[in-house]
Amino acid sequence: MNKDQVKGRINEAKGAVKETVGKATGNPGTQLKGNLQKNAGKVQAAVGDAREDAKRTVRTTKH
């Protein structure tokens, strides 16, 4: 696991919590910020996943 995967998943979780709090309190600003953070975390995690896949591919083709 690389740092993008970890940070992305953490941001996904934080965003989901923030989004839920925004819904529960009726605060659309907090809800929107949470949604944006969650989606940014998904993108960051996907970048990390792609990087790990590329490393695996390089390792398997060298052998």
Side-chain angles (χ1 to χ4, degrees):
M1 215 169 209
N2 62 43
K3 67 180 180 175
D4 284 324
Q5 288 173 309
V6 173
K7 287 181 179 181
R9 300 241 166 29
I10 289 170
N11 278 329
E12 270 187 85
K14 285 181 179 179
V17 168
K18 199 178 287 184
E19 185 178 20
T20 302
V21 168
K23 283 180 186 177
T25 60
N27 186 332
T30 301
Q31 185 177 348
L32 177 62
K33 286 179 185 177
N35 186 284
L36 292 173
Q37 184 176 10
K38 180 177 72 173
N39 289 327
K42 284 182 183 183
V43 170
Q44 187 175 16
V47 168
D49 292 342
R51 185 177 294 158
E52 283 297 311
D53 289 344
K55 282 182 186 178
R56 256 189 301 260
T57 301
V58 169
R59 273 188 247 138
T60 57
T61 57
K62 284 186 177 181
H63 296 280

